[in-house]
């Protein structure tokens, strides 16, 4: 089959690899119809996630048709159209049973390496480094889906591929980002990053009853999506001082909750600040560029929530612990526990409460994956989300 | 009950070294008492009753034997006391050699018989001393570990799975097979490096249903080992804390090096991986595999990942 492989920093290639086969009794094989490129894939693309190997198949957002199931999979049959959550989760460990699927205790066969870096191991993730399991990803013609009796959700005909594939990651992730804010009537929610995750976090904050939603980024075309589809207010951090503007907008209180939907590759309007962390990151003294996170902490109302869905892999410098501690802030974070959200969010789409596919800007054939990565990386051609069609 | 050290490993502190030194201790006691309270008959018996010196030398020997007896029977530093007996034997043989040289007839015959008997005892003493020393060195090499994992299953389920010893290779990576010979005894085969196999028989020596299982290798094993697993209810209704204690004594020399390789450079990590697989098998039904780690969790595989791509058909 054809599959998108990581070939080194800033390089992916569609190559020929063997077709996947059932390896565990609870596996299914899915023939992929639509798969997406994610901001998380850019962290791999840029070489910021350790333990990648040349030839690793990328992709953790995908959907398609079940073509084969292992002997222990009874809820699915060949022909079923399904969307697959990105965390691989067994459904039976105590984490899974508490709904914490992205920290499943059994799905990372390389847990030993992850423990050395993170203390304990999170779940395995499709196409997301050997640190998180060494699983082949779904930017391919076929994928093996472990624990197919737990993760995949059947998609009704009236839901399009473009809508359904949002359930693999970005919609649940954005939704969890908003849910962690514990939104009460009248509250103001600020979101850093107007990528797919930030936009869907902002949209979800609306669904959950936020009074005002403020989205911060530097790309006007992305901020425009926030204004048009979510009725959000926006701040372009290259044009205005974010902290001043937020204080002004909230009459000095600060947002009640701040969502970091940027992650470890933040960008900074101030060239000197950017250069400081960029250089440390290049020298591997620091693994992250946590501009958005630092700003979100400083901006947040005292006693408020900082909700972190942007991805981090290692260590952060200059963490404003003083502000965090003295102002009684709360941080909530995590890789999304997608399995918890797929069904309820599918229902919201069915009821017409939201159409998350408003973020999709590009659709192209799988063979053009390399081009898709380039334009998404460089934010060319007003790119927000690239779907690859198989 | 808290430590597997209380489990007897026959080669290390079990019957062989423990009984031989105490048997020798009793022999020393008998000889010592005899030489002290009846030096006359003892001198006649051994053929040295014609020597005026024998009357004073024999009680000294008796005292020496009593010292060895006390040491051997006390069980402390058995190797040292066993060698003290060998030294005593050497002294006796020297004295007897001299006695033999200037005697003749029936006396000479009695001295010769005594020499023969002492030589036999010396051989046993040397054997015992060597054995006790070997056991002590093996004890010094003993590797002990205590590792635990929490499994989201009841103690009864975890116990039942482990109690069927034939299940062990499903999660213990270095085991090729375990065959249960009866409810207590089993035969284990471990995969070694370069196709070498290490085999041994083991027995369950303590079995507390749903609570713990204790086993050890049978005498004669080249890699004496013992283990205990306890199944403790995890607080807060979170299943079972499976607490494993293991100890094994890799032999010296080439086999020892092979065994060391078998367990890798980080034996604890291997056992930890075994327990992770135990958890996977109990919670999910089998060992979890990825394309990068097609054989499931293991330190070695983590270091030698294949690309995250489907396996070629030949490797399935
Ligand atoms: N927690 C999860 O489960 C989860 C799931 C998916 C993605 N993620 C992470 O979410 C993050 C966003 O993903 P995405 O697909 O939306 O990526 P994206 O690259 O499309 O979006 C990131 C956006 O952040 C903006 N940005 C950069 N620096 C900024 C700053 N200082 N202030 C404000 N905005 C800034 C960029 O301009 C860009 O628009 C990534 O880190 C990704 O790995 C997490
Ligand atoms: Zn994603
Ligand atoms: Zn799990």
């Amino acid at each position: 089959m054809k599959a998108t492989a990581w070939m080194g920093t800033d390089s992916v290639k569609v190559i020929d690899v063997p077709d996947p086969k059932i390896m565990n009794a609870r596996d299914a094989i899915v023939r992929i119809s639509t798969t997406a490129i994610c901001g998380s894939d850019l962290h791999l693309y840029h070489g910021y996630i350790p333990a990648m190997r040349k030839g690793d198949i990328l992709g953790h957002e995908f959907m398609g048709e079940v073509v084969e199931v292992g002997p222990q999979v009874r809820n699915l049959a060949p022909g079923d159209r399904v969307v697959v959550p990105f965390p691989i989760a067994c459904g039976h460990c105590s984490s899974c049973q508490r709904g914490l699927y992205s920290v499943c205790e059994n799905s990372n066969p390389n847990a030993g390496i992850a423990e050395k870096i993170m203390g304990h191991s999170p779940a395995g993730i499709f196409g997301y480094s050997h640190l998180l399991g060494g699983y082949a990803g779904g930017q391919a013609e076929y994928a093996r889906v472990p624990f197919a009796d737990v993760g995949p959700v059947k998609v009704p005909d009236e839901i399009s591929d473009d809508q359904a594939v949002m359930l693999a990651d970005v919609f649940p992730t954005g939704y969890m980002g908003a849910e962690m804010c514990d939104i009460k009537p009248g509250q103001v929610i600020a979101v850093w990053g107007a990528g797919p995750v930030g936009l869907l976090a902002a949209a979800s904050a609306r669904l959950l009853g936020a009074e005002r939603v403020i989205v911060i980024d530097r790309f006007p075309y992305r901020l425009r999506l926030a204004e048009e589809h979510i009725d959000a207010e926006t701040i372009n951090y290259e044009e205005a001082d974010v902290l001043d503007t937020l204080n002004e907008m909230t009459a000095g209180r600060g947002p009640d909750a701040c969502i970091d939907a940027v992650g470890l590759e933040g960008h900074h309007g101030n060239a000197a600040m950017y250069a400081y962390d960029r250089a440390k990151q290049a020298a591997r003294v620091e693994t992250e560029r946590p501009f958005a996170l630092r700003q979100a902490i400083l901006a947040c109302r005292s006693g408020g929530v900082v909700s972190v869905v942007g991805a981090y892999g290692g260590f952060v410098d200059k963490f404003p612990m003083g502000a965090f501690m003295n102002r009684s802030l709360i941080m909530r974070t995590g890789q999304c526990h997608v399995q918890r959200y797929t069904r309820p969010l599918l229902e919201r789409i069915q009821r017409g409460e939201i159409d998350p596919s408003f973020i999709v800007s590009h659709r192209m054939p799988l063979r053009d994956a390399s081009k898709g990565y380039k334009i998404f990386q460089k934010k060319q051609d007003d790119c927000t989300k690239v779907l690859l069609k198989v | 009950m808290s430590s597997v050290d209380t489990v007897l490993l026959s080669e290390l502190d079990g019957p062989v070294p423990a009984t031989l030194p105490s048997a020798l201790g009793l022999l020393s006691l008998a000889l010592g008492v005899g030489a002290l309270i009846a030096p006359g008959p003892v001198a006649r018996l051994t053929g040295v009753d014609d020597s005026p010196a024998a009357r004073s030398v024999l009680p000294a020997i008796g005292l020496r034997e009593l010292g060895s007896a006390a040491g051997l029977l006390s069980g402390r530093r058995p190797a040292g006391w066993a060698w003290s007996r060998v030294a005593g034997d050497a002294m006796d043989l020297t004295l007897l050699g001299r006695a033999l040289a200037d005697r003749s007839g029936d006396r000479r015959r009695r001295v010769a018989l005594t020499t023969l008997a002492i030589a036999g005892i010396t051989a046993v003493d040397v054997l015992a001393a060597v054995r006790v020393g070997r056991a002590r060195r093996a004890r010094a090499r003993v590797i002990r570990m205590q590792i635990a994992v929490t499994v989201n299953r009841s103690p009864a389920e975890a116990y039942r799975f482990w109690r069927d010893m034939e299940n062990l290779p499903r999660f213990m990576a270095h085991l090729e097979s375990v065959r249960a010979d009866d409810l207590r005894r089993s035969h284990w085969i471990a995969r070694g490096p370069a196709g070498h196999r290490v085999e041994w028989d083991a027995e369950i020596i303590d079995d507390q249903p749903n609570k713990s299982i204790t086993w050890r290798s049978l005498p004669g094993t080249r890699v004496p080992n013992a283990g205990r697993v306890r199944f403790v209810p995890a607080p807060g209704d979170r299943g079972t804390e499976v607490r494993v204690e293991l100890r094994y004594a890799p032999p010296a020399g080439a086999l020892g090096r092979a065994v060391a390789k078998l367990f890798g450079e980080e034996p604890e990590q291997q056992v930890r991986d075994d327990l992770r697989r135990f958890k996977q098998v109990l919670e999910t039904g089998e060992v979890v595999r990825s394309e990068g780690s097609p054989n499931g969790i293991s330190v070695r595989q983590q270091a030698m990942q294949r690309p995250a791509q489907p396996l070629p058909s030949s490797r399935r």
Side-chain angles (χ1 to χ4, degrees):
Chain A
M1 68 163 181
K2 302 264 181 236
T4 308
W6 186 85
M7 305 303 281
T9 301
D10 285 350
S11 170
V12 302
K13 204 164 143 191
V14 175
I15 60 171
D16 281 302
V17 297
D19 286 352
K21 286 269 148 44
I22 302 280
M23 293 170 81
N24 279 112
R26 294 167 62 193
D27 289 352
I29 306 292
V30 172
R31 184 197 297 125
I32 293 161
S33 55
T34 299
T35 169
I37 304 175
C38 178
S40 300
D41 293 327
L42 290 182
H43 305 323
L44 301 174
Y45 191 59
H46 296 149
Y48 287 124
I49 305 288
M52 286 296 289
R53 283 188 61 118
K54 190 174 172 189
D56 286 347
I57 299 176
L58 297 172
H60 58 269
E61 302 180 7
F62 60 95
M63 63 172 300
E65 185 190 319
V66 174
V67 292
E68 195 186 341
V69 294
Q72 296 291 328
V73 180
R74 303 199 176 85
N75 57 320
L76 296 178
D80 287 344
R81 180 166 168 255
V82 293
V83 57
V84 180
F86 79 82
I88 299 172
C90 79
H92 297 301
C93 67
S94 34
S95 296
C96 283
Q97 290 192 341
R98 283 179 295 146
L100 301 172
Y101 296 96
S102 75
V103 290
C104 171
E105 295 158 28
N106 287 312
S107 66
N108 184 359
N110 299 334
I113 329 178
E115 281 175 1
K116 293 223 161 67
I117 299 179
M118 301 192 192
H120 299 273
S121 176
I125 295 183
F126 290 103
Y128 215 74
S129 89
H130 294 264
L131 189 68
L132 298 182
Y135 287 98
Q139 288 161 7
E141 290 182 305
Y142 294 89
R144 175 180 77 102
V145 177
F147 306 121
D149 53 339
V150 173
V153 169
K154 287 190 220 174
V155 180
D157 289 345
E158 73 265 23
I159 306 290
S160 70
D161 264 30
D162 293 11
Q163 291 173 316
V165 81
M166 297 297 121
L167 293 168
D169 177 349
V170 287
F171 186 19
T173 298
Y175 189 88
M176 184 169 111
E179 195 185 62
M180 290 190 296
C181 295
D182 203 7
I183 300 172
K184 309 248 167 24
Q187 291 199 329
V188 182
I189 309 298
V191 182
W192 275 254
V197 171
L199 290 169
L200 288 165
S204 301
R206 273 261 176 277
L207 285 177
L208 292 171
E211 178 83 18
R212 291 168 71 188
V213 177
I214 304 165
V215 177
I216 302 144
D217 204 306
R218 75 175 188 284
F219 293 106
Y221 73 92
R222 291 187 167 203
L223 293 174
R224 214 159 38 237
L225 285 173
E227 288 160 7
E228 286 167 10
H229 289 270
I230 307 163
D231 195 22
E233 297 158 72
T234 60
I235 303 174
N236 184 326
Y237 66 82
E238 288 194 318
E239 291 169 358
D241 182 279
V242 175
L243 294 181
D244 285 353
T245 312
L246 285 171
N247 276 333
E248 211 254 315
M249 290 167 107
T250 57
R253 300 188 306 274
D256 296 292
C258 294
I259 301 176
D260 169 2
V262 175
L264 64 91
E265 290 190 74
H267 170 269
H268 200 284
N270 179 317
M273 277 298 281
Y274 181 76
Y276 169 82
D277 284 279
R278 181 73 191 81
K280 289 185 84 168
Q281 197 177 34
R284 298 288 189 258
V285 181
E286 175 181 42
T287 53
E288 335 288 68
R289 301 195 305 259
F291 307 117
L293 179 59
R294 289 185 193 133
Q295 210 168 49
I297 290 170
L298 294 178
C300 193
R301 177 234 325 142
S302 291
V305 176
V306 178
S307 161
V308 182
V309 284
Y312 292 86
F315 302 90
V316 156
D317 280 5
K318 302 262 184 303
F319 183 83
M321 194 61 204
F324 198 84
M325 185 271 163
N326 287 287
R327 300 203 296 105
S328 293
L329 297 179
I330 297 161
M331 186 183 287
R332 297 212 179 93
T333 184
Q335 294 283 356
C336 183
H337 307 294
V338 178
Q339 283 83 339
R340 202 156 82 184
Y341 301 100
T342 36
R343 284 185 181 85
L345 295 184
L346 178 70
E347 284 161 20
R348 282 189 188 261
I349 299 173
Q350 279 180 298
R351 289 197 297 266
E353 291 172 25
I354 183 171
D355 177 0
S357 66
F358 75 88
I359 59 166
V360 177
S361 58
H362 290 72
R363 294 165 185 86
M364 54 182 77
L366 174 67
R367 72 178 117 78
D368 290 343
S370 168
K371 183 176 138 209
Y373 271 84
K374 272 264 124 63
I375 63 168
F376 182 49
Q377 173 198 30
K378 302 214 144 58
K379 315 290 184 244
Q380 290 165 343
D381 191 25
D382 287 2
C383 181
T384 312
K385 186 77 174 170
V386 179
L387 300 188
L388 301 170
K389 298 287 180 176
V390 188
Chain B
M1 170 69 188
S2 70
S3 165
V4 74
D5 269 353
T6 59
V7 178
L8 292 183
L9 271 184
S10 45
E11 283 79 355
L12 303 189
D13 36 23
V16 176
T19 50
L20 195 47
S22 45
L24 294 172
L26 289 173
L27 180 62
S28 287
L29 186 64
L31 288 174
V33 169
L36 272 179
I37 63 169
V42 169
R44 253 193 317 282
L45 194 70
T46 51
V48 292
D49 50 333
D50 57 338
S51 159
R55 296 219 148 250
S56 51
V57 169
L58 274 172
I61 291 178
L63 276 175
R64 186 200 71 203
E65 288 299 317
L66 283 185
S68 292
L72 283 162
L73 293 173
S74 78
R76 252 176 280 136
R77 294 190 1 91
W81 290 112
W83 283 114
S84 84
R85 270 199 56 90
V86 173
D89 293 341
M91 199 174 113
D92 294 351
L93 285 173
T94 314
L95 290 175
L96 284 165
R98 250 190 254 146
L100 198 63
D102 44 79
R103 278 182 181 74
S104 57
D106 181 49
R107 252 206 191 97
R108 187 182 160 93
R109 212 169 39 91
R110 269 184 278 153
V111 173
L113 271 177
T114 306
T115 309
L116 212 64
I118 297 287
I121 289 173
T122 306
V124 174
D125 284 344
V126 168
L127 180 73
V130 164
R131 269 206 202 163
V132 170
R134 197 184 282 152
R136 186 174 47 81
R137 283 191 301 280
R139 241 196 316 280
R141 280 197 305 274
V142 163
I143 295 173
R144 294 176 173 76
M145 37 200 164
Q146 300 198 15
I147 295 167
V149 71
T150 304
V151 176
N152 196 19
R153 288 280 182 261
S154 68
E157 286 168 291
Y159 164 85
R160 215 174 303 130
F161 189 85
W162 199 298
R163 182 62 181 77
D164 180 354
M165 296 306 232
E166 297 193 352
N167 277 332
L168 300 185
R170 286 180 64 186
F171 61 93
M172 292 186 174
H174 66 284
L175 288 183
E176 195 170 288
S177 66
V178 173
R179 187 191 68 227
D181 292 330
D182 55 41
L183 273 179
R184 226 163 52 80
R185 292 203 176 197
S186 47
H187 184 73
W188 302 45
I189 303 180
R191 249 186 304 269
H196 286 300
R197 287 159 138 204
V198 184
E199 304 192 22
W200 67 92
D201 288 305
E203 62 177 346
I204 290 177
I205 53 173
D206 184 45
D207 182 9
Q208 316 250 347
N210 307 337
K211 287 202 176 73
S212 75
I213 305 168
T214 309
W215 68 94
R216 70 167 171 205
S217 55
L218 290 181
T221 302
R222 289 205 287 175
V223 188
N225 62 85
R228 168 181 291 150
V229 54
R230 288 182 295 139
F231 306 95
V232 185
D237 211 10
R238 273 173 296 191
T240 305
E241 292 176 359
V242 178
R243 299 188 165 275
V244 174
E245 299 161 58
L246 287 180
R247 64 178 190 145
Y248 62 91
L255 178 67
R257 284 193 292 279
V259 170
K261 261 198 209 147
L262 185 71
F263 283 92
E265 279 173 10
E266 289 183 273
E268 296 225 353
Q269 189 61 53
Q270 293 227 9
V271 177
R272 202 173 296 285
D273 287 344
D274 285 348
L275 287 190
R276 266 195 250 272
R277 278 188 295 269
F278 176 73
K279 176 178 166 74
Q280 289 179 342
V281 171
L282 266 128
E283 292 182 352
T284 83
E286 57 189 320
V287 169
V288 178
R289 302 167 200 285
S290 73
E291 286 73 14
S293 287
N295 299 322
I297 211 155
S298 87
V299 208
R300 269 186 57 212
Q301 193 147 66
Q302 280 166 26
M304 308 184 307
Q305 290 283 290
R306 53 184 305 288
Q309 284 183 6
L311 275 67
S313 350
S314 58
R315 278 210 49 194
R316 285 176 186 138

